[in-house]
Amino acid sequence: MILDLGLVDYEESYALQKELVGKVRSGQIEDSAIIAEHRAVFTIGRTGKKENLLAGEEALRDADIKFLNVDRGGDITFHGPGQIVLYPVIDLKNRGRDLHRYLRDLEGLAMSFLKDYSVSGDRVEGRTGVWVGDKKIAFIGIAATDWITYHGLSVNINVDLKYFSMIRPCGLEGVEIVSLNEILNRDIDMAEAKERLIQRFSNIFQAGERDYADNFSLVA
């Protein structure tokens, strides 16, 4: 099952991830995923450093952007409209209990998605995510409980890149960020991009059919 939330607050998708994790653990549902766009938010992972947020509270208020501490790995990143975020809820007990392989699978997913747009994405040794040249386009931060994954992958499509200047993305000094529309010099159809990312995800993880939040409620 792949649940499309549309544009939502970060907290809503997080609450649903945790609910899905519980239902996968109990066997009520099979491996699943959430796909969404978020209203503007900075999130920082368990090992992140607050000093990588370069903007003060007044600047955050002026930009109408939240700052949240979250329980994924990694440092600080940005989510906002025009960026697709994918949250797989996958039981890795059925996939070798290998978090490193899972990270590489997510990177491979992003790279295969970019190939659909004739864009070559690459890994950088020692750094998680996907890069186009020396610029980062896809970001990965995960968590797992009882080997069931949550959090996940984000890919810049039509996102406003100015927000990344308010942070040190991923805690990296001087890193440049890029989006797909900037590379291709045209706006990207977000619905089409979602479909392509879902298809690539399904190819790797054999996910089920897509559903929509308006038509879906979790069974207690």
Side-chain angles (χ1 to χ4, degrees), residues 10 43-47 70 72-79 83-88 99-111 122-124 126-131 136-143 149-156 164 169-172 177 197 204-205:
Y10 183 91
T43 68
I44 189 165
R46 296 185 306 270
T47 59
V70 297
R72 59 165 171 78
D75 209 290
I76 194 167
T77 196
F78 169 75
H79 299 305
Q83 180 193 73
I84 297 177
V85 190
L86 181 71
Y87 298 116
L99 285 170
H100 292 289
R101 177 184 172 186
Y102 175 64
L103 288 170
R104 302 294 83 79
D105 284 344
L106 291 179
E107 289 170 343
L109 162 62
M111 289 189 290
D122 297 296
R123 296 181 176 94
V124 172
R127 294 181 173 180
T128 301
V130 175
W131 308 68
K136 194 167 189 179
I137 191 169
F139 308 79
I140 296 171
I142 66 168
T149 68
Y150 58 110
H151 294 292
L153 165 73
S154 59
V155 185
N156 290 341
F164 287 96
C170 309
L172 300 174
I177 305 299
L197 190 65
I204 294 173
F205 294 100

Side-chain angles (χ1 to χ4, degrees), residues 37-218:
E37 294 176 67
H38 289 313
R39 299 181 180 92
V41 61
F42 294 124
T43 68
I44 189 165
R46 296 185 306 270
T47 59
K49 297 179 180 179
K50 182 69 179 292
E51 55 262 36
N52 290 323
L53 174 64
L54 305 179
E57 291 184 8
E58 184 176 351
L60 294 180
R61 285 195 302 270
D62 290 345
D64 192 25
I65 183 168
K66 296 179 181 178
F67 172 77
L68 300 173
N69 289 283
V70 297
D71 60 348
R72 59 165 171 78
D75 209 290
I76 194 167
T77 196
F78 169 75
H79 299 305
Q83 180 193 73
I84 297 177
V85 190
L86 181 71
Y87 298 116
V89 181
I90 303 291
D91 190 344
L92 294 182
K93 292 191 294 294
N94 302 321
R95 298 174 182 271
R97 303 177 189 239
D98 190 336
L99 285 170
H100 292 289
R101 177 184 172 186
Y102 175 64
L103 288 170
R104 302 294 83 79
D105 284 344
L106 291 179
E107 289 170 343
L109 162 62
M111 289 189 290
S112 64
F113 165 77
L114 291 172
K115 281 184 181 178
D116 285 342
Y117 292 90
S118 301
V119 172
S120 179
D122 297 296
R123 296 181 176 94
V124 172
E125 187 174 354
R127 294 181 173 180
T128 301
V130 175
W131 308 68
V132 177
D134 59 355
K135 298 180 179 181
K136 194 167 189 179
I137 191 169
F139 308 79
I140 296 171
I142 66 168
T145 178
D146 192 28
W147 292 103
I148 299 169
T149 68
Y150 58 110
H151 294 292
L153 165 73
S154 59
V155 185
N156 290 341
I157 309 298
N158 298 316
V159 69
D160 188 343
L161 296 176
K162 70 181 181 186
Y163 292 102
F164 287 96
S165 67
M166 301 172 73
I167 61 174
R168 291 189 187 94
C170 309
L172 300 174
E173 188 70 51
V175 66
E176 292 188 70
I177 305 299
V178 73
S179 58
L180 189 57
N181 66 331
E182 185 176 77
I183 294 168
L184 299 180
N185 197 31
R186 63 178 175 86
D187 284 342
I188 310 301
D189 184 289
M190 289 296 290
E192 178 185 86
K194 277 187 177 182
E195 291 292 350
R196 290 185 175 190
L197 190 65
I198 287 170
Q199 184 58 57
R200 291 300 185 176
F201 174 76
S202 298
N203 290 346
I204 294 173
F205 294 100
Q206 299 177 346
E209 295 182 356
R210 179 176 177 179
D211 207 338
Y212 294 86
D214 289 345
N215 303 319
F216 184 86
S217 61
L218 289 175

